């Protein structure tokens, strides 16, 4: 006999009397059964993909109306859209997954022998052989950790693998940790605007989520003209979004955008190098 033939008189979740089909206290259905695979799939699509239209409304504003999603959230229209943090995390994970499992080479490492061949340097001339990379600070060569020396001894394929593993292990966390700094740069650029730090952080999440979506599409679509169009939209998106969220003159917005891109670009470069260096130093 099936356990779902009739509704239970007591809620299985909170033990409240529930003579109907749903509990009046917690809302759980009183008619329960083990869901089928089809019901699992339907629940996943309905809750995590469709989100009752939230996802599509969010994507429409995020991708095609720069700054509009941030303004909607600031003005209080929030229930109809996916939460900013979830938007950022979803597209960040998606981008790094595409980059990782798509087997795209984003950095090439060459051994001395490979560089030698490309430069046509005679191997019989020791003085012409390229030496291992040395770091000099104020004319002095510091003693480097043994991990770095071990890294120098790896073949090109080994270096490539270690760099790749280090990047994908630490970069997603580093990029998320940079969001407060992105918001801080906005706070400094818009001092006196009356905007609170939380609003800058909200803008940072939306702007970077858009960047992840666009870069993911550029990675997936192997058509040059499409990639060019996406790259142009990526370049134009941020100043347009800044102009819409922080109303000011267009020239002033462009100046702030240039400063923001410069500061954040340098910060992101340092963060990525630090991720790779951390992976190399912690490698056993």
């Amino acid at each position: 006999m099936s356990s779902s033939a009739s509704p239970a008189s007591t809620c299985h979740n909170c033990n409240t009397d529930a003579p109907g089909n749903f509990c009046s206290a917690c809302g759980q259905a009183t008619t329960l059964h083990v869901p089928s695979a089809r019901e699992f799939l339907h629940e996943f699509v309905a809750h995590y993909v469709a989100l009752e239209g939230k996802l599509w409304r969010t994507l429409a504003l995020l991708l095609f109306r720069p700054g509009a999603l941030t303004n909607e959230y600031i003005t209080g229209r929030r229930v109809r859209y996916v939460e900013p943090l979830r938007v950022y995390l979803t597209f960040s994970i998606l981008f790094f997954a595409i980059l990782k499992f798509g087997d795209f080479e984003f950095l090439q490492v060459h051994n001395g022998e490979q560089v030698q061949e490309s430069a046509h340097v005679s191997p019989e001339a020791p003085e012409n052989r390229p030496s291992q990379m040395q770091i000099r600070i104020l004319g002095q060569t510091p003693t480097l950790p043994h991990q770095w020396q071990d890294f120098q001894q790896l073949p090109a394929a080994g270096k490539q693998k270690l760099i790749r593993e280090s990047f994908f292990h630490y970069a997603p966390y580093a990029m998320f940790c940079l969001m407060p700094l992105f918001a801080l740069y906005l706070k400094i650029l818009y001092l006196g605007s009356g905007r609170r730090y939380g609003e800058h952080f909200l803008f940072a999440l939306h702007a970077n989520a858009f960047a992840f979506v666009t870069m993911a599409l550029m990675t997936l679509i192997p058509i040059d003209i499409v990639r060019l169009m996406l790259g142009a939209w990526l370049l134009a998106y941020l100043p347009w979004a800044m102009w819409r969220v922080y109303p000011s003159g267009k020239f002033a917005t462009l100046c702030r955008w240039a400063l923001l891109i410069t500061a954040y670009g340098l910060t992101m470069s340092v963060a990525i190098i630090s991720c790779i260096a951390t992976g190399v130093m912690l490698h056993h």
Side-chain angles (χ1 to χ4, degrees):
M1 181 177 179
S2 174
S3 61
S4 60
S6 61
S9 60
T10 303
C11 176
H12 295 283
N13 183 53
C14 63
N15 296 321
T16 302
D17 289 338
N21 292 324
F22 296 93
C23 175
S24 60
C26 68
Q28 177 172 289
T30 55
T31 302
L32 300 175
H33 66 279
V34 178
S36 64
R38 181 177 180 180
E39 288 172 327
F40 267 124
L41 180 61
H42 179 271
E43 181 179 354
F44 173 82
V45 172
H47 186 68
Y48 294 101
V49 179
L51 291 174
E52 297 179 353
K54 284 185 178 183
L55 178 63
W56 311 120
R57 284 194 293 268
T58 302
L59 276 176
L61 290 188
L62 182 69
L63 296 180
F64 305 113
R65 296 185 59 190
L69 186 59
T70 302
N71 281 336
E72 286 283 285
Y73 200 88
I74 291 174
T75 55
R77 292 185 287 271
R78 304 176 182 181
V79 176
R80 66 186 70 175
Y81 305 109
V82 181
E83 294 84 353
L85 185 58
R86 180 181 292 186
V87 171
Y88 172 86
L89 292 176
T90 299
F91 294 125
S92 171
I93 293 171
L94 180 65
F95 168 71
F96 282 107
I98 291 172
L99 202 63
K100 180 177 182 178
F101 297 108
D103 195 28
F104 298 98
E105 297 297 339
F106 53 91
L107 181 62
Q108 293 292 331
V109 178
H110 299 281
N111 270 351
E113 293 81 3
Q114 293 171 305
V115 175
Q116 211 172 38
E117 291 174 4
S118 62
H120 302 290
V121 179
S122 174
E124 288 77 20
E127 66 276 10
N128 291 332
R129 290 181 182 176
S131 59
Q132 291 183 337
M133 183 175 63
Q134 293 184 344
I135 298 177
R136 298 181 67 84
I137 301 176
L138 299 177
Q140 302 296 320
T141 302
T143 301
L144 298 176
H146 70 86
Q147 292 93 335
W148 178 258
Q149 298 174 7
D150 294 340
F151 174 76
Q152 288 286 72
Q153 301 300 322
L154 291 175
K159 291 179 181 178
Q160 180 77 24
K161 180 181 178 181
L162 181 54
I163 289 175
R164 184 181 179 87
E165 290 177 350
S166 302
F167 175 83
F168 285 114
H169 186 77
Y170 295 105
Y173 303 103
M175 294 302 297
F176 179 73
C177 290
L178 289 183
M179 290 301 95
L181 198 55
F182 190 101
L184 178 61
Y185 291 154
L186 285 169
K187 180 69 175 178
I188 294 172
L189 289 171
Y190 287 98
L191 284 175
S193 66
R195 295 286 191 184
R196 295 171 296 178
Y197 179 80
E199 296 176 78
H200 299 302
F201 189 76
L202 171 66
F203 181 87
L205 291 175
H206 284 155
N208 283 271
F210 166 81
F212 284 130
V213 175
T214 307
M215 290 188 295
L217 292 174
M218 293 174 67
T219 304
L220 288 173
I221 302 175
I223 304 174
D224 290 340
I225 185 63
V226 175
R227 287 179 172 176
L228 181 62
M229 294 172 62
L230 288 171
W233 184 228
L234 178 62
L235 187 64
Y237 184 94
L238 183 57
W240 193 346
M242 292 170 64
W243 178 73
R244 179 170 280 166
V245 175
Y246 308 96
S248 60
K250 294 182 179 179
F251 180 74
T253 299
L254 286 175
C255 290
R256 289 187 175 99
W257 167 76
L259 291 172
L260 176 63
I261 286 297
T262 301
Y264 188 65
L266 290 173
T267 305
M268 187 166 54
S269 299
V270 171
I272 292 175
I273 293 173
S274 299
C275 290
I276 296 174
T278 300
V280 170
M281 292 298 104
L282 296 180
H283 177 69
H284 299 290

